[in-house]
Amino acid sequence: MGEPHPKLQATDLSRTFGRGPGAVDALGPLDLTVTPGEFVCIVGPSGCGKSTLLRIASGLLRPSTGELAIRTTSPRPAAMIFQDYGIYDWKTVLANVRFGLDIQRLPRREANARARDWLARLGLADFASAYPATLSGGMRQRVAIARALAVEPEILLMDEPFAALDAQLRMILQDELLELTQTTRTTTLFITHSLEEAIVLGDRVLVMSARPGRFIAERRPPFPRPRSGEVRSAPEFTALKSELWQLLRPEAVPA
Ligand SMILES: Nc1ncnc2c1ncn2[C@@H]1O[C@H](COP(=O)(O)OP(=O)(O)O)[C@@H](O)[C@H]1O
Ligand SMILES: [Mg+2]
């Protein structure tokens, strides 16, 4: 019995911005393998190259060396959720959620139905015709999540999606995301600077070094699936958090 084919595989991946004396080595070289259905969290100090990695994974940026392959088994795309939501203020909530489906040229009736279904799952059923500017930060972020999930992506790429939210809302959305991804078994690469968030959500937590970011440690939170936000109060949770902090702290200290 072999390993399942990885969903995402980075090999000798690196990225440098600019050239000559002013060049910035932002990332790697690093290797990364994410298996189907896995939820991988990446933590690392500010500026270590986390967003660079996710932008490469989403096809927005080319690597300088190596490659990152995403193996999908259908034409469904990877979906990316940015820290700043990336939703369109001039489109209604429904049109935002339908956006990826319109690109896939799904018939309008079907696209509307699927978009409304995801809005309902994220508690936004009554806001389909609202404009994002009238919504709270948490609701806007839910719109972004609904939009990404509506395309039923094979891989979900999330770059600090909850960073701008207050602590309570953040926990609520973490719990929702847990439930959603455990139901859909969507392969997810999730970047955060919150150790708690990484431990609650991840099958694996990867710790990155200071720039140029490489993986310096890996831990598996010892909580079986399906899990809920209740793991936050487990003694193992606190122990793992301080262990991860010991690993991260030397990287996070300003040089
Ligand atoms: N387009 C760019 N041009 C030049 N430097 C960049 C660019 N994007 C990112 N960087 C630099 O690369 C490093 C890593 O950035 P980033 O991936 O955004 O880090 P993180 O998301 O971990 O905070 C930083 O030093 C940043 O200033
Ligand atoms: Mg970033």
Side-chain angles (χ1 to χ4, degrees):
M1 215 180 80
E3 290 278 300
H5 282 301
K7 207 80 181 163
L8 181 153
Q9 190 156 39
T11 313
D12 194 33
L13 188 76
S14 79
R15 173 70 202 210
T16 299
F17 289 104
R19 50 184 74 217
V24 175
D25 291 326
L27 179 72
L30 56 77
D31 297 321
L32 172 65
T33 300
V34 180
T35 57
E38 204 180 14
F39 197 125
V40 173
C41 291
I42 296 178
V43 295
S46 178
C48 76
K50 302 183 296 296
S51 293
T52 300
L53 173 62
L54 230 69
R55 288 169 66 209
I56 292 172
S58 66
L60 294 171
L61 194 68
R62 284 175 189 281
S64 300
T65 69
E67 62 170 356
L68 189 152
I70 287 185
R71 291 200 185 81
T72 49
T73 53
S74 73
R76 287 178 290 148
M80 174 141 181
I81 303 176
F82 299 94
Q83 175 176 351
D84 57 4
Y85 315 153
I87 55 179
Y88 301 116
D89 279 326
W90 65 89
K91 287 177 185 282
T92 64
V93 165
L94 182 69
N96 264 286
V97 175
R98 211 183 48 217
F99 181 72
L101 305 174
D102 292 343
I103 288 177
Q104 291 182 336
R105 294 169 183 270
L106 216 67
R108 176 59 61 101
R109 180 191 289 257
E110 198 182 330
N112 275 332
R114 211 200 284 177
R116 284 188 188 279
D117 180 46
W118 278 101
L119 283 176
R121 289 171 81 167
L122 286 154
L124 293 166
D126 294 339
F127 298 90
S129 48
Y131 284 88
T134 65
L135 305 181
S136 69
M139 291 164 80
R140 290 166 62 87
Q141 188 58 301
R142 281 201 187 88
V143 174
I145 292 170
R147 183 178 63 187
L149 292 172
V151 299
E152 295 174 359
E154 287 200 31
I155 303 185
L156 200 52
L157 303 167
M158 303 180 87
D159 189 359
E160 303 200 24
F162 306 148
L165 306 177
D166 69 51
Q168 286 82 33
L169 206 48
R170 197 173 173 139
M171 283 198 275
I172 289 168
L173 286 188
Q174 286 167 5
D175 293 356
E176 287 175 0
L177 184 66
L178 257 187
E179 211 177 303
L180 286 171
T181 51
Q182 284 169 170
T183 309
T184 57
R185 298 188 167 269
T186 305
T187 308
T188 306
L189 190 56
F190 188 102
I191 290 184
T192 176
H193 58 244
S194 159
L195 298 176
E196 288 97 337
E197 189 159 272
I199 297 168
V200 169
L201 295 174
D203 294 309
R204 267 194 295 155
V205 180
L206 301 175
V207 181
M208 262 187 156
S209 69
R211 184 175 70 78
R214 299 159 204 236
F215 298 122
I216 55 170
E218 171 183 309
R219 293 291 182 278
R220 290 180 180 272
F223 309 115
R225 305 266 183 193
R227 72 170 74 137
S228 76
E230 282 172 27
V231 299
R232 291 187 191 92
S233 44
E236 296 90 338
F237 187 92
T238 317
L240 182 53
K241 189 183 154 193
S242 45
E243 192 187 350
L244 286 169
W245 176 235
Q246 294 309 314
L247 293 161
L248 188 58
R249 186 185 178 136
E251 304 300 324
V253 175

